Amino acid sequence: MSNWDNMLQWEVVLPPSRPTEEELNRIVKEISHYDKKLPVAVLGSTPEFREILHRLNFSNIYIFEKSIDFYNQMSELLPGYASENEQFILGNWLETLPIYPRRFQFVLSDLTMGNLPYEDRYSFYDSIYSSLVPGGVFIDKVLAFDFPVPSLEDLFRKYEDLPINLRTINDFSSEVLFCSELVMEKQMVNSTQFYKIIREGNYSEKIKMFAEKAKMITPEGFIWYYGKSWDELSTDYLSKYSRVIIYPETEIKSPYCNRTKQFFCHKQ
């Protein structure tokens, strides 16, 4: 079981593992016209979302988070005023979201899918849909496995030719741990196991150094549920919404180029 209290160096995590400027601009454009006094929700403690909600003067913000320590860590990355007007809802999303039917104008989420075991996905997305008021929108980013999965050999060849810096360490974490053949084989990301495979494998010292540094971004002791094809998962995710707008990641330098999608799912 992942313990988010151990995610201690979030400030070194770079987009696209966090919301990108382009994604945030789309969100701002979408939500600016919503009533600033009515409830809105954030899944997790994403500081970028919390900051724009306060900047846009939303005054009834629900933060759904299972770790109060992680919430407090993320609050330290915000200006002092930016935790005002927040209602902190502690607990498992599967248990807390159903308490709030037809409550929120919109729900903001970034790469939350992988936190849910496959067998819980339907209940999770049904709870999000049910929590929206008519006309509400669920805004999310998903790592969708509908792309050619690179081999470790190809990825390691690429990183052998790159310098080791904060940008390339982030990219290594994104591509090797979350998008490679390791993920497809296991249908999950087990950070402890993946680091062990690299550490004990017949790989260069540079690749092993990349993996060691990547623990700043993706610590050991975490599990995410990725690797199943998007075709297999998309029905539970999308079926209830009357209108869905999709923005694939197209930034060529992004490790998630053509691998993530930002969804704007509108409830009728």
Side-chain angles (χ1 to χ4, degrees), residues 116-127:
L116 276 295
Y118 297 111
E119 62 268 21
D120 292 333
R121 297 283 174 83
Y122 179 82
S123 296
F124 177 54
Y125 290 112
D126 182 64
S127 295

Side-chain angles (χ1 to χ4, degrees), residues 93-127:
W93 293 327
L94 295 170
E95 298 170 356
T96 54
L97 276 168
I99 299 172
Y100 299 92
R102 297 167 67 93
R103 178 69 62 93
F104 304 116
Q105 299 182 95
F106 55 81
V107 174
L108 301 182
S109 165
D110 188 70
L111 295 173
T112 57
M113 174 179 279
N115 293 298
L116 276 295
Y118 297 111
E119 62 268 21
D120 292 333
R121 297 283 174 83
Y122 179 82
S123 296
F124 177 54
Y125 290 112
D126 182 64
S127 295

Side-chain angles (χ1 to χ4, degrees), residues 194-230:
F194 286 8
Y195 287 128
K196 184 175 186 289
I197 290 170
I198 297 171
R199 183 171 61 249
E200 297 181 355
N202 186 26
Y203 303 118
S204 74
E205 290 304 310
K206 184 172 186 179
I207 293 303
K208 291 182 179 182
M209 181 176 285
F210 261 118
E212 191 63 31
K213 297 295 185 183
K215 293 177 184 178
M216 294 189 299
I217 315 303
T218 306
E220 291 187 294
F222 279 76
I223 289 176
W224 288 270
Y225 297 89
Y226 289 113
K228 286 194 175 183
S229 73
W230 180 239

Side-chain angles (χ1 to χ4, degrees), residues 7 9-21 23 48 77 110-111 141 165-174 214 216-218 249 254-256:
M7 188 70 77
Q9 294 181 276
W10 194 253
E11 65 273 13
V12 302
V13 178
L14 300 177
S17 296
R18 294 167 65 165
T20 68
E21 183 177 357
E23 290 160 357
E48 291 88 345
L77 300 180
D110 188 70
L111 295 173
K141 181 168 73 184
N165 56 44
L166 189 56
R167 176 71 270 169
T168 58
I169 293 166
N170 269 265
D171 292 353
F172 183 95
S173 173
S174 296
M216 294 189 299
I217 315 303
T218 306
E249 173 59 82
S254 169
Y256 286 156

